[in-house]
Amino acid sequence: MTAFLVILVIVLFGVSVWQMNRIFQLAKTKPSGHSEIASDKDNNTQGYLMLGFLAFIYILTIVSFWLWYDTLLPESGSEHGSDIDNLMLISMILIFFVGIITQAVLHYFAFIYRGNKVKRATFYADNDKLEFIWTIIPVIVLAGLIIYGLFTWTDIMNVDKDDDPLIVELYAQQFNWKARYGGNDNTLGNANVRLIKGINQLGVDPADPNGQDDKIVTELHLPVGRKVLIKMRSQDVLHSAYMPHFRAQMNCVPGMITQFAFTPTVTTEEMRQNDYIVEKVANINAIRKNKSEELVAKGEEPLETYEFDYFVLCNKICGISHYNMQMKIIVESEEDYKAWLAEQPTLGEQLSKETK
């Protein structure tokens, strides 16, 4: 890898020197008939190429939408997800609308005003009215988007104590996730990475009574319809808790606690019945089946059948195994959630066993 980088630097340096030499050569005074001065034929060629490139990017955009329109996320599994999707939709509509018009005007002008020995450019100092128009319109549009985004973000991040949110800690470390529940009192005990020892992998303060009934798990279970306040910590480097199906993401920063709240509205089983998910799972399993046949022919183990699950992923490049840093999320009924939580041992019980 080091040798490749050295070679790359040498090549880039050589290209830079060559480009600088070209600039110096072009800066020198040349006779009017010199081959490096663009002729009408050159200008016409470049003008038509601009129109060709405009057609190319339009066709590429249409083909991309046609081929990969179904690679977007399905409907959101959280209460606030529709607000995020609407904000995204409005932003993309504006971006494409402005982009399509801007690219058309840019390439058309490059064609229609291409160089010509007969034509001469008209000196046009300024136009205050025109400059006001093309300045105030982007200001109004961007201000509207920013204000809409701020209201959306405030609604998402505003956690009311009257909502009685379920408090869960999401703990990140290279390269896995752990979750900590506050037990029956829904109160997490104090924790510090300096207290990590043995089975106490999250550094929960054993002297804090609130930490004795904490429950540490490697699979996140959430009750449907109840607001969840997720508090996040990182043990080592910067991670990012990304839950795409809930339209939720927040950085996990070493030395501080960040948080994000949302209300799951679709259980795992319900999402598995979603038409989009059913079709996507079928496509994935068809690919896996073909791959499994190749593996079996080589005497290797076939791939397992894929089944949809919610996941929390790391969305920051945190190291060599970043790609595989994920944890399953199960959204279920309140009854199933309570039954599962009751089966999990408390930290106090685990510490007692460790000291025996």
Side-chain angles (χ1 to χ4, degrees):
M1 186 63 183
T2 303
F4 170 75
L5 292 175
V6 171
I7 294 173
L8 181 62
V9 169
I10 294 174
V11 171
L12 291 176
F13 178 76
V15 171
S16 300
V17 172
W18 178 73
Q19 289 287 1
M20 290 178 65
N21 180 62
R22 290 280 297 165
I23 292 171
F24 288 134
Q25 292 297 325
L26 291 173
K28 294 180 179 179
T29 304
K30 299 286 185 180
S32 59
H34 196 274
S35 61
E36 291 184 348
I37 296 178
S39 64
D40 286 346
K41 181 181 178 181
D42 295 329
N43 291 326
N44 288 331
T45 300
Q46 294 299 318
Y48 284 109
L49 283 175
M50 291 297 284
L51 291 182
F53 185 73
L54 176 64
F56 169 74
I57 61 177
Y58 281 172
I59 293 172
L60 180 62
T61 303
I62 294 171
V63 171
S64 297
F65 272 103
W66 179 264
L67 294 177
W68 297 292
Y69 72 94
D70 59 346
T71 57
L72 300 175
L73 288 169
E75 64 182 48
S76 172
S78 66
E79 192 175 80
H80 75 270
S82 59
D83 296 330
I84 296 293
D85 289 344
N86 288 338
L87 182 60
M88 183 70 174
L89 179 61
I90 292 172
S91 298
M92 294 307 297
I93 289 174
L94 286 171
I95 289 171
F96 273 93
F97 176 76
V98 174
I100 289 171
I101 293 177
T102 303
Q103 291 296 331
V105 172
L106 173 67
H107 289 78
Y108 173 74
F109 279 15
F111 169 76
I112 203 69
Y113 295 116
R114 62 192 183 277
N116 189 308
K117 291 181 180 179
V118 179
K119 294 180 181 179
R120 290 292 180 268
T122 301
F123 177 75
Y124 197 81
D126 55 62
N127 186 316
D128 294 340
K129 183 178 180 180
L130 186 61
E131 291 179 5
F132 176 80
I133 291 173
W134 72 42
T135 301
I136 198 65
I137 290 177
V139 168
I140 293 173
V141 173
L142 289 176
L145 279 177
I146 292 171
I147 292 172
Y148 180 28
L150 285 175
F151 274 104
T152 302
W153 180 250
T154 302
D155 290 341
I156 294 171
M157 298 304 292
N158 183 29
V159 181
D160 195 334
K161 292 183 179 179
D162 294 337
D163 294 334
D164 187 28
L166 171 67
I167 299 176
V168 182
E169 180 182 71
L170 195 58
Y171 189 81
Q173 62 183 134
Q174 296 174 310
F175 297 96
N176 64 73
W177 298 94
K178 290 183 178 65
R180 178 163 64 110
Y181 293 83
N184 295 328
D185 59 1
N186 195 31
T187 303
L188 295 170
N190 296 325
N192 192 301
V193 292
R194 294 182 178 86
L195 299 176
I196 294 176
K197 182 180 180 182
I199 203 169
N200 187 8
Q201 298 181 25
L202 271 60
V204 180
D205 187 354
D208 185 358
N210 290 325
Q212 292 299 308
D213 64 344
D214 287 359
K215 299 183 177 185
I216 300 171
V217 296
T218 55
E219 187 175 272
L220 187 60
H221 284 240
L222 303 175
V224 67
R226 182 179 178 184
K227 177 159 283 192
V228 181
L229 177 60
I230 299 182
K231 295 181 175 291
M232 306 174 192
R233 287 194 298 144
S234 172
Q235 177 175 308
D236 33 51
V237 299
L238 183 66
H239 299 278
S240 186
Y242 178 43
M243 293 163 272
H245 294 93
F246 301 117
R247 312 300 193 264
Q249 179 173 333
M250 181 61 69
N251 287 345
C252 306
V253 185
M256 67 181 295
I257 297 175
T258 55
Q259 66 180 38
F260 194 100
F262 66 92
T263 303
T265 56
V266 183
T267 66
T268 299
E269 289 299 327
E270 289 172 342
M271 187 61 80
R272 286 173 179 169
Q273 302 306 314
N274 180 281
D275 291 339
Y276 175 86
I277 294 297
V278 170
E279 182 181 354
K280 188 171 185 178
V281 169
N283 290 336
I284 293 174
N285 282 326
I287 296 172
R288 287 193 167 211
K289 182 180 179 181
N290 294 333
K291 184 64 177 178
S292 293
E293 291 174 355
E294 297 177 7
L295 294 173
V296 171
K298 297 177 182 178
E300 302 178 17
E301 291 291 326
L303 299 174
E304 295 180 2
T305 302
Y306 171 73
E307 184 177 45
F308 170 83
D309 274 306
Y310 293 121
F311 277 97
V312 54
L313 309 169
C314 180
N315 207 23
K316 285 286 186 292
I317 300 177
C318 57
I320 192 169
S321 294
H322 154 76
Y323 71 96
N324 202 33
M325 185 173 169
Q326 56 184 276
M327 181 171 67
K328 184 189 294 186
I329 302 176
I330 303 294
V331 179
E332 55 198 354
S333 66
E334 183 79 24
E335 295 74 20
D336 290 341
Y337 161 73
K338 288 182 177 178
W340 170 83
L341 188 63
E343 295 173 355
Q344 310 308 312
T346 65
L347 179 62
E349 293 171 347
Q350 292 178 312
L351 292 175
S352 297
K353 290 181 181 179
E354 186 181 43
T355 55
K356 289 181 181 179

